[in-house]
Amino acid sequence: MANNLKQVLTGISGILVTPFDEAGGIAPALQKPIVDRALAAGVHVLTANGNTGEFYSLTIDEAEAMVDAAAAHVAGRAPLVAGVGRGIPDACQLAKVSAKAGADALMIHQPPDPFVAPRGMIDYVAAVSDAGGGLPLILYLRNDAIGTEAIAALCAIPGVVGVKWATPNPMKLKAAMAASPDHIVWVGGLAEVWAPAFYAVGARGFTSGLINVWPERSVAIHAALEVSRWDEARELIAGMQVFEDIRAEDQGGANVSGVKATLRLIGEDCGAARPPAAWPLTADQQARLSAFMKHNGLVPRAAV
């Protein structure tokens, strides 16, 4: 599986939303149509308990239930990556449960602890690796301030096969790639809009929240990038830019809200985004989103 995983990581890493019911509890069954649509479109690998899945708003029990559900929905049709993180006890517990659920790899969220030490991160990743029973590890890097030397040391930990680079610093990515072991797969972690810049320095593949609602566009962008059709890729990205612009607003707090509002428009209500996310969208955001959906033929005219 390790070699296959490394191959699919150069494709699209779809980050699944976590559906909620009207009372605000998780509603795992509502995720299945999203999984089916993404896999039918050709998305290469899916991730449960990522940031688009509102990982930090979930209890550990909820996160465990969602990785179980995602594994059942995927049913072996594609590799499943499970996000784990927070304090060591929670991260290790979730790693164990994810392995038991059938996850093919663990994505380790970079700890938001205000006192993260670069060398402490090495102990953190090693502990999660032990708890996961040897599952391949993917580092989710949202803060490159730990430095190139520390990133290279993390990549040298046995079991680490990939890095999702989620900072807007292509040149630091290039330096980290040069300093790290050759076997690491470097994935663009800022979705479709940043993919061309990351491809330019040697990364391959990208994460995507768009796959929850319009996976065909993500697949088309990836196909264009893989054969260096840069103009086509840029045009395809420009055509979904409104969606990503809305998600980036409210200091990024509309990220999940934009996805869930779009799911409502296509008739697949997955509930609200939990605080502290920006929910609901503002009237202006909703109007722009509706116009975007109508323009691209993604919802019936009567729905917008």
Side-chain angles (χ1 to χ4, degrees):
M1 171 56 70
N3 288 335
N4 182 50
L5 177 68
K6 291 174 68 174
Q7 178 61 40
V8 298
L9 284 176
T10 66
I12 302 166
S13 295
I15 317 301
L16 296 167
V17 297
T18 296
F20 300 132
D21 59 25
E22 291 184 0
I26 60 171
L30 297 179
Q31 192 186 70
K32 190 174 188 302
I34 296 170
V35 169
D36 290 343
R37 179 168 54 247
L39 294 181
V43 173
H44 305 88
V45 56
L46 294 175
T47 299
N49 294 326
N51 278 350
T52 304
E54 298 180 75
F55 175 68
Y56 287 102
S57 82
L58 303 178
T59 68
I60 291 300
D61 286 345
E62 288 175 329
E64 291 176 2
M66 287 312 304
V67 74
D68 280 334
H73 299 330
V74 173
R77 291 177 288 168
L80 175 67
V81 174
V84 303
R86 296 193 282 227
I88 277 285
D90 286 345
C92 290
Q93 170 66 13
L94 191 49
K96 292 175 184 177
V97 170
S98 298
K100 185 177 180 180
D104 297 290
L106 302 175
M107 182 188 75
I108 303 179
H109 288 269
Q110 194 170 9
D113 190 303
F115 303 116
V116 173
R119 58 193 175 95
M121 272 293 296
I122 294 173
D123 293 335
Y124 182 94
V125 172
V128 173
S129 178
D130 289 343
L135 282 180
L137 306 175
I138 301 158
L139 308 177
Y140 183 29
L141 190 70
R142 292 180 58 82
N143 180 358
D144 55 32
I146 61 174
T148 300
E149 183 178 345
I151 294 169
L154 288 169
C155 289
I157 295 173
V160 175
V161 300
V163 175
K164 290 186 178 181
W165 186 273
T167 82
N169 297 311
M171 298 314 295
K172 288 189 176 181
L173 167 59
K174 181 180 179 181
M177 293 173 66
S180 299
D182 292 338
H183 70 274
I184 299 296
V185 178
W186 298 84
V187 180
L190 291 176
E192 289 82 357
V193 294
W194 274 91
F198 290 151
Y199 262 69
V201 297
R204 287 295 177 269
F206 52 83
T207 59
S208 175
L210 182 68
I211 64 93
N212 289 280
V213 294
W214 196 13
E216 297 82 3
R217 176 53 60 100
S218 295
V219 171
I221 292 168
H222 180 264
L225 289 171
E226 283 296 293
V227 293
S228 302
R229 296 198 301 263
W230 306 111
D231 288 343
E232 179 182 346
R234 284 192 290 269
E235 182 177 354
L236 289 167
I237 291 168
M240 49 79 69
Q241 185 77 47
V242 171
F243 176 80
E244 292 297 339
D245 285 347
I246 291 170
R247 295 179 71 203
E249 291 171 2
D250 293 290
Q251 298 183 358
N255 188 298
V256 179
S257 305
V259 178
K260 287 194 164 179
T262 307
L263 284 166
R264 281 189 171 180
L265 285 174
I266 65 174
E268 295 182 11
D269 191 349
C270 285
R274 283 179 174 172
W279 183 266
L281 294 183
T282 66
D284 174 69
Q285 290 169 332
Q286 188 68 47
R288 284 183 285 137
L289 180 62
S290 296
F292 161 78
M293 298 291 286
K294 179 179 177 181
H295 176 76
N296 287 288
L298 297 174
V299 291
R301 183 180 297 272
V304 296

